[in-house]
Amino acid sequence: MSENKRDEALSQETVSSDKAQKKAKAPAKKKDKEPNRVMRWLKDMKGELKKVSWPSGKDTAKNVLVVVVCVIVVGIFIWVFDFLAKQVVQALLSLFR
């Protein structure tokens, strides 16, 4: 019987070592596939960028002009509000002095 137990122990060690070897091989496969994933992603991205309808230079200039004008207008509104708020606070402080 002790021989049977020894044989079972050896077979379990062999199975566990086989599992360990398979686990050791698994990360190597993932590393090998990663460059393929990156290359595939880059190719897909290039294909998608070809489908994009890019604006012309004139459209871009118009859009930039609209953004600049909007920024200036919003800046003026903020400046006016700040000026009015400052005047109100100064008036209130002068009343309570």
Side-chain angles (χ1 to χ4, degrees), residues 33-85:
K33 290 183 180 181
E34 285 181 22
N36 293 335
R37 284 183 178 178
V38 172
M39 292 303 294
R40 183 177 45 205
W41 181 79
L42 288 172
K43 286 180 184 179
D44 289 345
M45 183 179 65
K46 184 178 178 182
E48 289 297 321
L49 288 175
K50 286 182 180 179
K51 296 177 187 178
V52 173
S53 60
W54 296 99
S56 67
K58 289 182 180 180
D59 290 338
T60 304
K62 286 179 187 177
N63 291 339
V64 167
L65 182 65
V66 167
V67 168
V68 169
V69 168
C70 288
V71 167
I72 291 171
V73 169
V74 169
I76 290 171
F77 279 125
I78 291 173
W79 179 73
V80 168
F81 177 77
D82 183 53
F83 178 77
L84 292 175

Side-chain angles (χ1 to χ4, degrees), residues 18-28:
D18 288 343
K19 288 181 181 178
Q21 287 176 353
K22 287 180 182 178
K23 286 182 181 179
K25 289 180 183 178

